[in-house]
């Protein structure tokens, strides 16, 4: 069988390619994981196109890997068994605005910045903001989050309804438009975070929010990481409804200044943001200042005008790229553990000391309001010793988190890189996950090697 | 086989009974659904006890219905096929406090008021507050919510981890302690709301919150229901972070005054509550007052002291009982639709007019910040005509909601009463739910007749 010819007959010739450059673009993501090429790249334009491709692939035991923009960080989109990379770039329409319901319906190829540009005209915004300008389909697939999850929740909290196509060609809607429901099993929550292993998402109905009346941002620098993390913890413990609380360590600020032309003080820093009415914010901010001063903060710098605030968060979002651009030819390995809040300070200090011990260069940063933090390390994937040290470090961070009730991945997902920690994290429920995988995808065509090892 | 003898051998004789009174207490819930008796009532004292009972029941094809306090409203706990009512009243311990992580671990028989009494000592509270003082296991099983969901979310949002026992005897933990995770399928979300049809919950780790610095409550009366609902909608549309926004109509206030010895004005009313810092609340409240005045509110009455506030919410929680006690011998039928916010006013007015047309007496009330409202109707279950009219009304309300993207149940669950609407609401995904049911419970022993019809 000539795969390209068959797919071209199924759809149209212009929707299928085996061009080498295209295959390479769909062979890896933004992480250090090794490239594997798909046999074909397919561009569906509708749910029915996806149904045709999945039904065909299922009949012929051909692997299918849904692909958004390839910004994943654990090798999710790598076609471990070749087959079809299903690229949603042509399904990038905003299908319906329901501003009165705080809902929007989109195709999976819409990016978060594309959506926010449109929403702004309605006085609305979409909250979830990973570092990359990822597609919303990809963000749902990995249960992405970002800097605002501490206030507004993660991707799973924003998805009200999905249209999904199963490997056997069934098309179904998993939810509805109501703000809550106790009707039947929560399939929406199961497909969010399933990383393309159960089926393909072809439509999403998402919750959006009114742009807050008043926004204030601040940078707070400290003498050491511990004081920064302890301050963040106290803000949360005091129940301040903070919208963003990000840790950026000195090494990361240094990269940021170079990459984003900022001139922030190179010290352990909290980036904060407050949303609400002005009177309430002033009270909250005064209180947070007191807490920071209790930990000898060195400076408390407000970013009051919207331009400086935009620059602050743009620099934060660009941080992974700041590291990447400083190390041409190297690849990123990021840790992504999330721990119970009370374990956060210890976990961050443990990570920092282990990085130093293993002689790895990198930054510590993260969404510490959720107990989630990253270390970004640039490695030369041809240097076996460096790769081994980085992987050993990742394993140490994961072990440390799991022993304290945490998770191996707070927001990046399992992909290929965290498969090896699944059994330890989930125990007996990993078997149940596998049974569900087999129920929905008995021939194992959907993103093989992701979440579960290839058998 | 003598079921009682076998169960007594499996556990201890004191944990098993076939006493007629006991069987009757486990034969119905607080709704109008007809009683069916279990053959045995069993009181497990540990996860291992539950494992023994489920394994035994699965081997012998005996139905098992988990039972909390029997406060469900759609016949969830009715043992449609007899068998075992698994009563969790002896598993009512609070197992672990982690105030620093805003987490608590409990057994399923702990009630929400029991938990809140303990939490108060730590300056914490648990948010989910259905009308009944239900057990937390039951609340998780139905994905319960209540008056605070508009601010803090529903039960599913509070459950961080569950220990569940499957019919085949497997014991598993479904989650962890981290505030977020992208690791594996979201089994916790699937078990929450599964209404005892997939397995039995034997432990829950729940998110709790710091008691707000400042709390203000108010009663706002209007000339008609439409103005009340429109005001609520505008509060939400303006993004005011309100903690509670409840509609109580005039008929309900009248019942409330009689039952709870209150003397509230008998008019369509919004019960409001604000949580936050004082300065922020004052701004929010002034704004809400303006909105209410724009809809010609008749009065805006603050309940500033904590005693009056407690009375307000206690009266609200007792409302279903207020109707029940006013109609001795009658039984409750409640509608529980939830619609997109923009459809709320129409849905409430539609319900009111259909009740009048069908000559049904009842109140309209609800958690309208979520688009969820109830009508409470007391019926004589021996009066076939009255039952038929009430059921016809329920069906009309459900149809109206489903046609607008809503759900047949916002918080009470499917139980036995909403099985007939599942296909219409879920379409093809109802088949997938059924496949998942068969995967976990192939012999169909877990709460037969709930969510899915008995085959």
């Amino acid at each position: 069988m000539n795969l390209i010819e068959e797919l071209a007959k199924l759809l149209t010739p212009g929707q299928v390619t085996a061009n080498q450059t295209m295959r390479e673009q769909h062979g890896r993501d933004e992480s250090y994981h090794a490239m594997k090429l798909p046999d074909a790249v397919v561009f569906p334009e509708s749910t029915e196109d996806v149904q045709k491709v999945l039904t065909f692939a299922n009949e012929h035991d051909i692997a299918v890997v849904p692909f958004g923009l390839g910004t994943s960080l654990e090798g999710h989109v790598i076609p471990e068994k070749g087959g079809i990379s299903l690229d949603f770039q042509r399904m990038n329409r905003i299908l319906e605005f329901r501003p009165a319901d705080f809902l929007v319906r989109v195709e999976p190829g819409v990016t978060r910045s594309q959506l926010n540009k449109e929403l702004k005209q309605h006085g609305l915004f979409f909250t979830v903001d990973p570092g990359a300008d990822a597609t919303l389909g990809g963000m749902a697939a990995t249960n992405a989050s970002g800097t605002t999850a501490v206030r507004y929740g993660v991707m799973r909290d924003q998805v009200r309804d999905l249209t999904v196509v199963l490997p056997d060609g069934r098309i179904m809607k998993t939810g509805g438009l109501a703000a809550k429901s106790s009707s039947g099993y929560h399939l929406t929550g199961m497909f969010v975070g399933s990383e393309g292993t159960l089926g393909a998402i072809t439509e999403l109905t998402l919750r959006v929010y009114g742009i807050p009346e008043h926004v204030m941002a601040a940078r707070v620098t400290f003498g050491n990481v511990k004081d920064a993390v302890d301050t963040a913890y106290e803000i949360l413990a005091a129940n301040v409804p903070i919208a963003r609380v990000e840790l950026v360590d000195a090494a990361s600020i240094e990269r940021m200044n170079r990459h984003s032309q900022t001139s922030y003080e190179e010290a352990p820093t909290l980036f904060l943001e407050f949303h609400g009415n002005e009177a309430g914010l002033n009270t909250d901010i005064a209180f947070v200042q007191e807490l920071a001063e209790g930990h000898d903060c060195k400076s408390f710098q407000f970013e009051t005008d919207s331009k400086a605030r935009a620059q602050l968060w743009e620099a934060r979002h660009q941080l992974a790229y700041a590291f990447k651009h400083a190390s041409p030819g190297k690849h990123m390995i990021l840790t992504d553990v999330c721990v119970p809040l009370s374990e956060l300070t210890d976990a961050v200090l443990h990570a920092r000391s282990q990085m130093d011990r293993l002689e790895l260069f990198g930054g510590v940063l993260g969404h510490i309001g959720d107990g989630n933090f990253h270390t970004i390390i640039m490695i030369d994937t041809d240097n076996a010793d460096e790769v081994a040290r980085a992987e050993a470090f990742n394993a140490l961070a994961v072990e440390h988190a799991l022993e304290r009730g945490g998770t191996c991945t707070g927001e990046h997902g399992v992909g290929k890189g965290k498969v090896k920690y699944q059994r330890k994290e989930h125990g007996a429920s990993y078997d149940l996950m596998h049974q569900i995988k087999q129920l929905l995808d008995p021939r194992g065509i959907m993103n093989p090697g992701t979440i579960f090892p290839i058998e």
Side-chain angles (χ1 to χ4, degrees), chain A:
Chain A
M1 184 186 71
N2 183 316
L3 177 63
I4 301 298
E5 276 176 25
E6 294 295 322
L7 287 167
K9 274 191 273 178
L10 209 59
L11 306 177
T12 64
Q15 291 179 266
V16 184
T17 181
N19 170 290
Q20 181 68 11
T21 309
M22 274 295 201
R23 289 171 64 208
E24 284 174 10
Q25 282 171 8
H26 292 77
R28 76 178 311 158
D29 61 7
E30 294 189 349
S31 73
Y32 73 106
H33 294 287
M35 179 185 284
K36 295 262 173 86
L37 297 189
D39 299 306
V41 180
V42 174
F43 302 94
E45 293 171 6
S46 66
T47 298
E48 290 66 35
D49 282 354
V50 174
Q51 183 186 38
K52 284 178 196 167
V53 174
L54 261 56
T55 308
F56 170 83
N58 198 43
E59 274 168 15
H60 296 89
D61 281 322
I62 297 163
V64 177
V65 181
F67 187 98
L69 273 172
T71 59
S72 60
L73 293 168
E74 284 295 354
H76 299 72
V77 299
I78 299 170
E80 206 61 37
K81 289 176 80 172
I84 297 164
S85 183
L86 196 65
D87 185 322
F88 283 92
Q89 66 175 257
R90 297 188 194 170
M91 290 180 70
N92 68 342
R93 290 171 302 172
I94 296 172
L95 299 169
E96 187 185 7
F97 271 108
R98 295 178 68 111
D101 291 318
F102 298 91
L103 292 175
V104 61
R105 189 159 57 90
V106 301
E107 289 184 320
V110 173
T111 66
R112 66 173 177 84
S113 70
Q114 180 190 348
L115 177 61
N116 269 321
K117 205 173 151 190
E118 293 293 323
L119 287 174
K120 204 175 177 182
Q121 301 168 36
H122 300 268
L124 299 168
F125 78 118
F126 183 69
T127 56
V128 187
D129 67 337
D133 186 21
T135 63
L136 294 161
M139 287 163 65
T142 54
N143 189 30
S145 44
T147 65
T148 65
V150 65
R151 169 73 169 267
Y152 299 96
V154 299
M155 195 68 189
R156 188 174 282 121
D157 300 309
Q158 319 308 331
V159 181
R160 195 67 62 83
D161 191 14
L162 292 172
T163 300
V164 296
V165 182
L166 301 195
D168 62 12
R170 278 187 286 173
I171 297 171
M172 56 184 67
K173 290 170 76 66
T174 62
L177 302 181
K180 63 182 198 184
S181 174
S182 286
S183 184
Y185 301 153
H186 192 47
L187 297 180
T188 305
M190 186 177 79
F191 280 98
V192 173
S194 65
E195 305 188 8
T197 63
L198 298 177
I201 296 167
T202 62
E203 270 187 35
L204 308 92
T205 299
L206 301 170
R207 180 178 183 186
V208 297
Y209 295 78
I211 293 172
E213 182 192 331
H214 205 75
V215 177
M216 286 281 276
R219 280 180 294 113
V220 195
T221 59
F222 294 86
N224 56 64
V225 166
K226 185 178 189 310
D227 280 327
V229 180
D230 285 345
T231 300
Y233 177 74
E234 287 176 15
I235 293 170
L236 295 159
N239 220 6
V240 176
I242 199 154
R244 287 166 150 161
V245 50
E246 295 284 310
L247 170 72
V248 192
D249 76 350
S252 304
I253 296 275
E254 190 233 316
R255 290 288 138 180
M256 185 181 280
N257 283 338
R258 284 204 215 176
H259 181 77
S260 299
Q261 286 83 51
T262 47
S263 52
Y264 301 150
E265 186 187 344
E266 290 172 12
T269 306
L270 292 181
F271 286 10
L272 306 176
E273 194 166 272
F274 302 84
H275 296 175
N277 67 50
E278 192 168 1
L281 290 201
N282 288 338
T283 304
D284 285 341
I285 290 167
F287 181 63
V288 167
Q289 262 187 299
E290 260 179 56
L291 294 178
E293 280 158 14
H295 288 284
D296 302 321
C297 73
K298 293 161 67 183
S299 70
F300 199 108
Q301 181 84 36
F302 290 102
E303 305 283 9
T304 38
D305 74 284
S306 65
K307 205 174 147 193
R309 214 168 56 227
Q311 186 187 33
L312 179 76
W313 296 115
E314 178 59 19
R316 170 63 191 86
H317 281 111
Q318 286 286 324
L319 201 39
Y321 300 112
F323 276 92
K324 203 164 183 171
H325 292 177
S327 306
K330 291 198 171 192
H331 288 103
M332 266 198 291
I333 179 167
L334 283 94
T335 65
D336 178 36
V337 298
C338 187
V339 296
L341 280 186
S342 64
E343 302 285 352
L344 184 61
T345 304
D346 277 0
V348 169
L349 297 178
H350 171 263
R352 186 76 257 175
S353 71
Q354 293 302 314
M355 271 169 83
D356 295 344
R357 186 180 68 77
L358 288 161
E359 294 175 18
L360 293 162
F361 168 75
V364 176
L365 58 140
H367 317 303
I368 59 171
D370 308 309
N372 179 213
F373 69 96
H374 310 299
T375 53
I376 303 182
I377 300 166
M378 298 308 303
I379 55 172
D380 175 0
T381 49
D382 293 330
N383 180 338
D385 174 63
E386 195 174 49
V387 174
R389 277 182 287 124
E391 289 191 330
F393 169 65
N394 202 345
L396 282 169
V398 169
E399 297 280 326
H400 190 270
L402 294 185
E403 281 162 15
R404 286 152 184 81
T407 177
C408 70
T409 170
E411 57 179 9
H412 295 167
V414 178
K416 314 299 193 278
K418 297 266 166 72
V419 172
K420 55 181 169 286
Y421 307 120
Q422 292 298 291
R423 168 64 60 191
K424 174 143 191 183
E425 177 164 347
H426 299 299
S429 71
Y430 191 43
D431 296 322
L432 179 55
M433 293 179 199
H434 194 238
Q435 286 179 283
I436 290 172
K437 162 76 174 173
Q438 286 179 311
L439 177 71
L440 273 76
D441 182 24
R443 305 178 78 135
I445 65 159
M446 294 306 302
N447 208 356
T450 295
I451 301 183
F452 308 99
I454 290 173
E455 276 151 40

